[in-house]
Amino acid sequence: MKVIQVKNAQEGGKQAFAILKEEMAKGITTLGLATGSTPETLYQEMVKSDLDFSDMTSVNLDEYVGLSGENPQSYRYFMNDRLFLHKPFKETFVPNGKANDLDAECIRYNQIIADHPIDLQVLGIGRNGHIGFNEPGTSFAVETHVVALTESTIEANKRYFESIEEVPTHALSMGIASILKSKQIILMAFGREKAAAVAKMIEGSVTEQLPASVLQTHKNVVVIIDEAAASELTNA
Ligand code: GLP
């Protein structure tokens, strides 16, 4: 893992954008994208850049079960709002949270990933070390799956909803096995509340109890963290 320490989320977004730009100049075609507050500075850099994404494909990590793309809390809405409406892509994929048959939706999404191998995957990290919506204890072997969200994740994500009762309890998420197929991964983490997860991800043992620790086994990972997120690293 290559670790880049930056001053703040703004700087982190710029660093991630610089890598993306370099990779696009080399001809990559498919981005794996994430939601949450963490990648927002990267998306701002993309939006204000003069880069053209109209030949690019994106495959998003996850979506809440039960929310349609018109729902402002859905991840499809988030992606349209923050990025795709400003910078059109050739094709964009997000799991369908309204699918009647969720198992069939997982199979469909696995096929999408197989048909569009991800060159560069962007990740954030949850406070408990989750990536996508792969909560602690999820098998590293799993591909797209239906997830029951943990209390910690529901609590962390309630800020986007009017009340905690409105936060969906389930999500569709690419699995760890899907994420590891990406040729390159950039994980970003900003803020003190991510420090413990970041330290375990980088310096702890590889364990399904801390899903992001699996990134130690991938050969092309860049971690971009600010000072607060780096504050529990012993080798910083
Ligand atoms: C959600 C998303 C993750 C994201 C995490 C952290 O659980 N499914 O992809 O990394 O939240 O969110 P934030 O970046 O807002 O801290």
Side-chain angles (χ1 to χ4, degrees):
M1 275 183 183
K2 178 177 172 195
V3 180
I4 301 176
Q5 201 176 312
V6 293
K7 270 213 302 285
N8 52 38
Q10 257 62 42
E11 286 299 311
K14 286 192 192 347
Q15 283 281 351
F17 177 72
I19 297 171
L20 169 66
K21 195 172 171 180
E22 205 181 307
E23 293 303 317
M24 280 177 65
K26 288 187 206 156
I28 66 165
T29 59
T30 307
L31 303 181
L33 297 178
T35 51
S37 53
T38 306
E40 288 202 81
T41 52
L42 166 61
Y43 299 155
Q44 286 158 12
E45 294 296 322
M46 290 166 76
V47 167
K48 72 182 189 212
S49 76
D50 55 8
L51 288 189
D52 176 15
F53 295 90
S54 60
D55 283 334
M56 301 287 288
T57 296
S58 72
V59 186
N60 254 76
L61 278 173
D62 48 12
E63 180 60 284
Y64 287 118
V65 168
L67 301 193
S68 79
E70 284 81 56
N71 187 316
Q73 318 303 341
S74 72
Y75 285 171
R76 162 51 81 182
Y77 189 99
F78 176 101
M79 290 309 303
N80 289 348
D81 183 60
R82 305 302 204 280
L83 186 59
F84 302 144
L85 291 173
H86 311 278
K87 285 285 187 186
F89 276 55
K90 184 174 78 178
E91 294 173 290
T92 64
F93 298 101
V94 179
N96 176 10
K98 289 291 266 183
N100 288 328
D101 182 340
L102 294 174
D103 292 334
E105 176 60 11
C106 292
I107 294 168
R108 185 187 78 91
Y109 212 69
N110 285 337
Q111 192 57 49
I112 287 171
I113 299 165
D115 292 343
H116 305 88
I118 295 169
D119 295 305
L120 176 60
Q121 175 69 55
V122 174
L123 293 177
I125 183 170
R127 295 170 197 191
N128 59 7
H130 74 248
I131 47 178
F133 267 131
N134 295 286
E135 298 282 19
T138 308
S139 161
F140 288 161
V142 163
E143 297 196 79
T144 307
H145 58 139
V146 182
V147 180
L149 302 178
T150 63
E151 227 172 277
S152 138
T153 301
I154 291 173
E155 181 64 31
N157 291 351
K158 75 172 186 206
R159 65 192 193 277
Y160 294 111
F161 294 83
E162 299 223 327
S163 70
I164 196 158
E165 289 73 38
E166 284 178 32
V167 188
T169 54
H170 289 76
L172 287 161
S173 180
M174 269 190 207
I176 300 283
S178 335
I179 293 171
L180 289 180
K181 285 183 195 157
S182 313
K183 294 182 194 114
Q184 181 172 14
I185 297 174
I186 300 177
L187 183 143
M188 292 186 279
F190 309 121
R192 184 73 189 80
E193 67 278 11
K194 302 293 173 69
V198 164
K200 288 184 197 148
M201 166 179 75
I202 298 174
E203 296 177 346
S205 48
V206 176
T207 164
E208 288 174 352
Q209 295 313 313
L210 201 292
S213 65
V214 79
L215 299 179
Q216 293 177 29
T217 69
H218 189 284
K219 60 179 186 336
N220 196 356
V221 178
V222 180
V223 176
I224 300 174
I225 44 178
D226 67 359
E227 286 165 18
S231 60
E232 291 192 27
L233 286 171
T234 49
N235 297 321

PDB file of all heavy atoms in Angstrom, residues 127-151:
ATOM      1  N   ARG A 127     -16.438   3.845   9.603  1.00  0.00           N
ATOM      2  CA  ARG A 127     -15.766   3.939  10.910  1.00  0.00           C
ATOM      3  C   ARG A 127     -15.390   2.572  11.453  1.00  0.00           C
ATOM      4  O   ARG A 127     -14.465   2.445  12.244  1.00  0.00           O
ATOM      5  CB  ARG A 127     -16.688   4.609  11.926  1.00  0.00           C
ATOM      6  CG  ARG A 127     -16.987   6.032  11.565  1.00  0.00           C
ATOM      7  CD  ARG A 127     -18.088   6.582  12.452  1.00  0.00           C
ATOM      8  NE  ARG A 127     -18.627   7.773  11.834  1.00  0.00           N
ATOM      9  CZ  ARG A 127     -19.444   8.615  12.439  1.00  0.00           C
ATOM     10  NH1 ARG A 127     -19.824   8.394  13.680  1.00  0.00           N
ATOM     11  NH2 ARG A 127     -19.884   9.679  11.816  1.00  0.00           N
ATOM     12  N   ASN A 128     -16.126   1.541  11.036  1.00  0.00           N
ATOM     13  CA  ASN A 128     -15.806   0.184  11.498  1.00  0.00           C
ATOM     14  C   ASN A 128     -14.960  -0.573  10.469  1.00  0.00           C
ATOM     15  O   ASN A 128     -14.832  -1.779  10.528  1.00  0.00           O
ATOM     16  CB  ASN A 128     -17.094  -0.599  11.804  1.00  0.00           C
ATOM     17  CG  ASN A 128     -18.013  -0.706  10.593  1.00  0.00           C
ATOM     18  OD1 ASN A 128     -17.644  -0.306   9.492  1.00  0.00           O
ATOM     19  ND2 ASN A 128     -19.195  -1.264  10.796  1.00  0.00           N
ATOM     20  N   GLY A 129     -14.405   0.169   9.512  1.00  0.00           N
ATOM     21  CA  GLY A 129     -13.516  -0.455   8.536  1.00  0.00           C
ATOM     22  C   GLY A 129     -14.224  -1.053   7.343  1.00  0.00           C
ATOM     23  O   GLY A 129     -13.616  -1.763   6.546  1.00  0.00           O
ATOM     24  N   HIS A 130     -15.532  -0.743   7.181  1.00  0.00           N
ATOM     25  CA  HIS A 130     -16.212  -1.329   6.017  1.00  0.00           C
ATOM     26  C   HIS A 130     -15.834  -0.597   4.730  1.00  0.00           C
ATOM     27  O   HIS A 130     -15.494   0.581   4.748  1.00  0.00           O
ATOM     28  CB  HIS A 130     -17.733  -1.393   6.213  1.00  0.00           C
ATOM     29  CG  HIS A 130     -18.479  -0.107   6.119  1.00  0.00           C
ATOM     30  ND1 HIS A 130     -19.095   0.478   7.200  1.00  0.00           N
ATOM     31  CD2 HIS A 130     -18.757   0.699   5.071  1.00  0.00           C
ATOM     32  CE1 HIS A 130     -19.709   1.583   6.819  1.00  0.00           C
ATOM     33  NE2 HIS A 130     -19.514   1.751   5.524  1.00  0.00           N
ATOM     34  N   ILE A 131     -15.866  -1.327   3.630  1.00  0.00           N
ATOM     35  CA  ILE A 131     -15.692  -0.718   2.309  1.00  0.00           C
ATOM     36  C   ILE A 131     -16.887  -1.134   1.452  1.00  0.00           C
ATOM     37  O   ILE A 131     -17.367  -2.260   1.565  1.00  0.00           O
ATOM     38  CB  ILE A 131     -14.332  -1.081   1.627  1.00  0.00           C
ATOM     39  CG1 ILE A 131     -14.035  -2.578   1.698  1.00  0.00           C
ATOM     40  CG2 ILE A 131     -13.209  -0.274   2.222  1.00  0.00           C
ATOM     41  CD1 ILE A 131     -12.732  -2.975   1.002  1.00  0.00           C
ATOM     42  N   GLY A 132     -17.356  -0.213   0.610  1.00  0.00           N
ATOM     43  CA  GLY A 132     -18.663  -0.411   0.004  1.00  0.00           C
ATOM     44  C   GLY A 132     -19.619  -0.496   1.177  1.00  0.00           C
ATOM     45  O   GLY A 132     -19.585   0.336   2.085  1.00  0.00           O
ATOM     46  N   PHE A 133     -20.446  -1.548   1.206  1.00  0.00           N
ATOM     47  CA  PHE A 133     -21.240  -1.820   2.408  1.00  0.00           C
ATOM     48  C   PHE A 133     -20.871  -3.192   2.951  1.00  0.00           C
ATOM     49  O   PHE A 133     -21.706  -3.905   3.502  1.00  0.00           O
ATOM     50  CB  PHE A 133     -22.738  -1.733   2.103  1.00  0.00           C
ATOM     51  CG  PHE A 133     -23.343  -0.382   2.352  1.00  0.00           C
ATOM     52  CD1 PHE A 133     -24.146   0.219   1.396  1.00  0.00           C
ATOM     53  CD2 PHE A 133     -23.148   0.284   3.558  1.00  0.00           C
ATOM     54  CE1 PHE A 133     -24.731   1.460   1.625  1.00  0.00           C
ATOM     55  CE2 PHE A 133     -23.724   1.524   3.801  1.00  0.00           C
ATOM     56  CZ  PHE A 133     -24.514   2.114   2.835  1.00  0.00           C
ATOM     57  N   ASN A 134     -19.607  -3.556   2.785  1.00  0.00           N
ATOM     58  CA  ASN A 134     -19.150  -4.846   3.316  1.00  0.00           C
ATOM     59  C   ASN A 134     -18.786  -4.675   4.781  1.00  0.00           C
ATOM     60  O   ASN A 134     -17.708  -4.186   5.115  1.00  0.00           O
ATOM     61  CB  ASN A 134     -17.958  -5.360   2.507  1.00  0.00           C
ATOM     62  CG  ASN A 134     -18.352  -5.663   1.084  1.00  0.00           C
ATOM     63  OD1 ASN A 134     -19.022  -6.659   0.828  1.00  0.00           O
ATOM     64  ND2 ASN A 134     -17.998  -4.775   0.158  1.00  0.00           N
ATOM     65  N   GLU A 135     -19.713  -5.062   5.621  1.00  0.00           N
ATOM     66  CA  GLU A 135     -19.556  -4.852   7.056  1.00  0.00           C
ATOM     67  C   GLU A 135     -18.607  -5.890   7.658  1.00  0.00           C
ATOM     68  O   GLU A 135     -18.357  -6.936   7.046  1.00  0.00           O
ATOM     69  CB  GLU A 135     -20.935  -4.957   7.722  1.00  0.00           C
ATOM     70  CG  GLU A 135     -21.943  -3.911   7.261  1.00  0.00           C
ATOM     71  CD  GLU A 135     -21.727  -2.538   7.905  1.00  0.00           C
ATOM     72  OE1 GLU A 135     -20.635  -2.254   8.421  1.00  0.00           O
ATOM     73  OE2 GLU A 135     -22.696  -1.744   7.889  1.00  0.00           O
ATOM     74  N   PRO A 136     -18.058  -5.620   8.851  1.00  0.00           N
ATOM     75  CA  PRO A 136     -17.164  -6.594   9.502  1.00  0.00           C
ATOM     76  C   PRO A 136     -17.810  -7.979   9.560  1.00  0.00           C
ATOM     77  O   PRO A 136     -19.004  -8.107   9.848  1.00  0.00           O
ATOM     78  CB  PRO A 136     -16.987  -6.003  10.906  1.00  0.00           C
ATOM     79  CG  PRO A 136     -17.139  -4.529  10.703  1.00  0.00           C
ATOM     80  CD  PRO A 136     -18.205  -4.388   9.647  1.00  0.00           C
ATOM     81  N   GLY A 137     -17.001  -8.983   9.241  1.00  0.00           N
ATOM     82  CA  GLY A 137     -17.501 -10.361   9.257  1.00  0.00           C
ATOM     83  C   GLY A 137     -17.885 -10.872   7.878  1.00  0.00           C
ATOM     84  O   GLY A 137     -18.104 -12.058   7.694  1.00  0.00           O
ATOM     85  N   THR A 138     -17.948  -9.957   6.882  1.00  0.00           N
ATOM     86  CA  THR A 138     -18.296 -10.383   5.521  1.00  0.00           C
ATOM     87  C   THR A 138     -17.149 -11.190   4.931  1.00  0.00           C
ATOM     88  O   THR A 138     -15.990 -10.773   5.009  1.00  0.00           O
ATOM     89  CB  THR A 138     -18.529  -9.154   4.609  1.00  0.00           C
ATOM     90  OG1 THR A 138     -19.461  -8.289   5.240  1.00  0.00           O
ATOM     91  CG2 THR A 138     -19.025  -9.554   3.240  1.00  0.00           C
ATOM     92  N   SER A 139     -17.485 -12.315   4.317  1.00  0.00           N
ATOM     93  CA  SER A 139     -16.451 -13.132   3.687  1.00  0.00           C
ATOM     94  C   SER A 139     -15.770 -12.357   2.560  1.00  0.00           C
ATOM     95  O   SER A 139     -16.426 -11.681   1.780  1.00  0.00           O
ATOM     96  CB  SER A 139     -17.081 -14.403   3.115  1.00  0.00           C
ATOM     97  OG  SER A 139     -16.224 -14.974   2.166  1.00  0.00           O
ATOM     98  N   PHE A 140     -14.450 -12.501   2.488  1.00  0.00           N
ATOM     99  CA  PHE A 140     -13.698 -11.853   1.406  1.00  0.00           C
ATOM    100  C   PHE A 140     -14.042 -12.461   0.044  1.00  0.00           C
ATOM    101  O   PHE A 140     -13.717 -11.902  -0.991  1.00  0.00           O
ATOM    102  CB  PHE A 140     -12.186 -12.012   1.646  1.00  0.00           C
ATOM    103  CG  PHE A 140     -11.630 -11.175   2.773  1.00  0.00           C
ATOM    104  CD1 PHE A 140     -10.402 -11.504   3.339  1.00  0.00           C
ATOM    105  CD2 PHE A 140     -12.303 -10.056   3.244  1.00  0.00           C
ATOM    106  CE1 PHE A 140      -9.857 -10.734   4.365  1.00  0.00           C
ATOM    107  CE2 PHE A 140     -11.768  -9.273   4.278  1.00  0.00           C
ATOM    108  CZ  PHE A 140     -10.544  -9.624   4.841  1.00  0.00           C
ATOM    109  N   ALA A 141     -14.689 -13.632   0.043  1.00  0.00           N
ATOM    110  CA  ALA A 141     -14.944 -14.341  -1.216  1.00  0.00           C
ATOM    111  C   ALA A 141     -16.235 -13.889  -1.902  1.00  0.00           C
ATOM    112  O   ALA A 141     -16.498 -14.277  -3.034  1.00  0.00           O
ATOM    113  CB  ALA A 141     -15.021 -15.836  -0.945  1.00  0.00           C
ATOM    114  N   VAL A 142     -17.014 -13.068  -1.216  1.00  0.00           N
ATOM    115  CA  VAL A 142     -18.338 -12.720  -1.724  1.00  0.00           C
ATOM    116  C   VAL A 142     -18.282 -11.661  -2.834  1.00  0.00           C
ATOM    117  O   VAL A 142     -17.470 -10.743  -2.783  1.00  0.00           O
ATOM    118  CB  VAL A 142     -19.198 -12.227  -0.524  1.00  0.00           C
ATOM    119  CG1 VAL A 142     -20.415 -11.463  -0.963  1.00  0.00           C
ATOM    120  CG2 VAL A 142     -19.578 -13.396   0.361  1.00  0.00           C
ATOM    121  N   GLU A 143     -19.169 -11.830  -3.854  1.00  0.00           N
ATOM    122  CA  GLU A 143     -19.306 -10.781  -4.877  1.00  0.00           C
ATOM    123  C   GLU A 143     -20.526  -9.931  -4.509  1.00  0.00           C
ATOM    124  O   GLU A 143     -20.824  -9.791  -3.325  1.00  0.00           O
ATOM    125  CB  GLU A 143     -19.379 -11.429  -6.253  1.00  0.00           C
ATOM    126  CG  GLU A 143     -18.062 -12.173  -6.529  1.00  0.00           C
ATOM    127  CD  GLU A 143     -17.861 -12.536  -7.971  1.00  0.00           C
ATOM    128  OE1 GLU A 143     -17.472 -11.665  -8.763  1.00  0.00           O
ATOM    129  OE2 GLU A 143     -18.112 -13.705  -8.290  1.00  0.00           O
ATOM    130  N   THR A 144     -21.234  -9.384  -5.480  1.00  0.00           N
ATOM    131  CA  THR A 144     -22.347  -8.493  -5.132  1.00  0.00           C
ATOM    132  C   THR A 144     -23.358  -9.234  -4.247  1.00  0.00           C
ATOM    133  O   THR A 144     -23.739 -10.366  -4.537  1.00  0.00           O
ATOM    134  CB  THR A 144     -23.032  -7.986  -6.413  1.00  0.00           C
ATOM    135  OG1 THR A 144     -22.026  -7.419  -7.251  1.00  0.00           O
ATOM    136  CG2 THR A 144     -24.074  -6.930  -6.082  1.00  0.00           C
ATOM    137  N   HIS A 145     -23.776  -8.586  -3.182  1.00  0.00           N
ATOM    138  CA  HIS A 145     -24.667  -9.257  -2.229  1.00  0.00           C
ATOM    139  C   HIS A 145     -25.599  -8.262  -1.541  1.00  0.00           C
ATOM    140  O   HIS A 145     -25.393  -7.050  -1.612  1.00  0.00           O
ATOM    141  CB  HIS A 145     -23.847 -10.054  -1.193  1.00  0.00           C
ATOM    142  CG  HIS A 145     -22.863  -9.241  -0.401  1.00  0.00           C
ATOM    143  ND1 HIS A 145     -22.658  -9.408   0.942  1.00  0.00           N
ATOM    144  CD2 HIS A 145     -22.030  -8.243  -0.761  1.00  0.00           C
ATOM    145  CE1 HIS A 145     -21.746  -8.562   1.372  1.00  0.00           C
ATOM    146  NE2 HIS A 145     -21.344  -7.843   0.361  1.00  0.00           N
ATOM    147  N   VAL A 146     -26.622  -8.834  -0.882  1.00  0.00           N
ATOM    148  CA  VAL A 146     -27.544  -8.023  -0.082  1.00  0.00           C
ATOM    149  C   VAL A 146     -26.990  -7.985   1.338  1.00  0.00           C
ATOM    150  O   VAL A 146     -26.593  -9.020   1.873  1.00  0.00           O
ATOM    151  CB  VAL A 146     -28.959  -8.646  -0.057  1.00  0.00           C
ATOM    152  CG1 VAL A 146     -29.913  -7.770   0.743  1.00  0.00           C
ATOM    153  CG2 VAL A 146     -29.474  -8.840  -1.476  1.00  0.00           C
ATOM    154  N   VAL A 147     -26.936  -6.804   1.896  1.00  0.00           N
ATOM    155  CA  VAL A 147     -26.277  -6.613   3.182  1.00  0.00           C
ATOM    156  C   VAL A 147     -27.261  -6.052   4.206  1.00  0.00           C
ATOM    157  O   VAL A 147     -28.014  -5.131   3.893  1.00  0.00           O
ATOM    158  CB  VAL A 147     -25.150  -5.554   3.009  1.00  0.00           C
ATOM    159  CG1 VAL A 147     -24.433  -5.307   4.320  1.00  0.00           C
ATOM    160  CG2 VAL A 147     -24.197  -5.946   1.915  1.00  0.00           C
ATOM    161  N   ALA A 148     -27.218  -6.572   5.422  1.00  0.00           N
ATOM    162  CA  ALA A 148     -27.949  -5.941   6.531  1.00  0.00           C
ATOM    163  C   ALA A 148     -26.967  -4.960   7.174  1.00  0.00           C
ATOM    164  O   ALA A 148     -25.875  -5.354   7.597  1.00  0.00           O
ATOM    165  CB  ALA A 148     -28.381  -6.998   7.537  1.00  0.00           C
ATOM    166  N   LEU A 149     -27.316  -3.684   7.184  1.00  0.00           N
ATOM    167  CA  LEU A 149     -26.382  -2.674   7.696  1.00  0.00           C
ATOM    168  C   LEU A 149     -26.245  -2.777   9.215  1.00  0.00           C
ATOM    169  O   LEU A 149     -27.211  -3.091   9.912  1.00  0.00           O
ATOM    170  CB  LEU A 149     -26.867  -1.279   7.305  1.00  0.00           C
ATOM    171  CG  LEU A 149     -27.028  -1.076   5.800  1.00  0.00           C
ATOM    172  CD1 LEU A 149     -27.554   0.315   5.495  1.00  0.00           C
ATOM    173  CD2 LEU A 149     -25.698  -1.299   5.090  1.00  0.00           C
ATOM    174  N   THR A 150     -25.045  -2.504   9.710  1.00  0.00           N
ATOM    175  CA  THR A 150     -24.833  -2.544  11.162  1.00  0.00           C
ATOM    176  C   THR A 150     -25.368  -1.252  11.785  1.00  0.00           C
ATOM    177  O   THR A 150     -25.560  -0.244  11.105  1.00  0.00           O
ATOM    178  CB  THR A 150     -23.342  -2.647  11.527  1.00  0.00           C
ATOM    179  OG1 THR A 150     -22.694  -1.465  11.063  1.00  0.00           O
ATOM    180  CG2 THR A 150     -22.690  -3.861  10.900  1.00  0.00           C
ATOM    181  N   GLU A 151     -25.543  -1.322  13.084  1.00  0.00           N
ATOM    182  CA  GLU A 151     -26.016  -0.147  13.831  1.00  0.00           C
ATOM    183  C   GLU A 151     -25.065   1.028  13.639  1.00  0.00           C
ATOM    184  O   GLU A 151     -25.482   2.173  13.478  1.00  0.00           O
ATOM    185  CB  GLU A 151     -26.053  -0.519  15.303  1.00  0.00           C
ATOM    186  CG  GLU A 151     -27.336  -0.129  15.987  1.00  0.00           C
ATOM    187  CD  GLU A 151     -27.380  -0.694  17.378  1.00  0.00           C
ATOM    188  OE1 GLU A 151     -27.766  -1.884  17.516  1.00  0.00           O
ATOM    189  OE2 GLU A 151     -26.995   0.029  18.298  1.00  0.00           O
TER     190      GLU A 151
END
